Amino acid sequence: MKRTFSLLAAIAIGTMMTAPAFAQDGAVNPHVTGTVVEGNTTMVFKTANDRDLHTKSLAQWTNFAQQHPQIARQLANQPALLSDAGYLGKHPELGQLFDDNPGLLAEMKQDPGNFNAIPPASDR
């Protein structure tokens, strides 16, 4: 009887000690998109944090860019054109976008990468 109790106690203690390890192994972090292990280095790829994005401004720009893909492509390749009065004068629709959306031009100048994506060559 004493031997059976000792055996059951040993199994119970072993199970309790390994359960947390199994639970951790199955945990999935929704922000981790992948990992690469190379030697003693592990690189963890996480989703971008979008808290600093102005989603309203981004939506306004996206709508404009879909209607004016040539302008969007030019600005993606040369964001400095946002400061070029001549370029803005040649594209009154772009000036109208900035007039209708105060602050958009300043946001685009500050972080052009948030608004401009160069389309793949096949889309050009």
Side-chain angles (χ1 to χ4, degrees):
M1 179 76 173
K2 193 173 186 179
R3 193 174 215 187
T4 304
F5 179 72
S6 296
L7 180 61
L8 289 175
I11 291 173
I13 290 172
T15 302
M16 289 188 307
M17 292 179 74
T18 58
F22 286 118
Q24 289 175 3
D25 192 36
V28 176
N29 184 338
H31 301 290
V32 175
T33 60
T35 58
V36 175
V37 178
E38 204 168 301
N40 64 352
T41 303
T42 301
M43 293 175 276
V44 178
F45 297 90
K46 296 182 179 182
T47 56
N49 180 350
D50 63 355
R51 280 185 256 161
D52 63 338
L53 290 178
H54 301 270
T55 54
K56 182 180 176 189
S57 298
L58 184 58
Q60 293 163 337
W61 168 251
T62 300
N63 290 336
F64 178 86
Q66 288 172 344
Q67 295 171 8
H68 304 90
Q70 183 179 3
I71 294 172
R73 194 170 17 263
Q74 288 171 343
L75 292 174
N77 288 315
Q78 296 177 323
L81 291 173
L82 290 167
S83 299
D84 184 344
Y87 182 82
L88 296 175
K90 289 179 187 176
H91 300 283
E93 61 273 29
L94 186 59
Q96 186 64 46
L97 172 72
F98 295 141
D99 289 343
D100 293 345
N101 302 287
L104 178 60
L105 179 59
E107 290 175 27
M108 290 182 73
K109 284 181 180 180
Q110 181 179 357
D111 292 313
N114 288 347
F115 296 91
N116 298 318
I118 300 173
S122 62
D123 292 348
R124 293 183 187 175

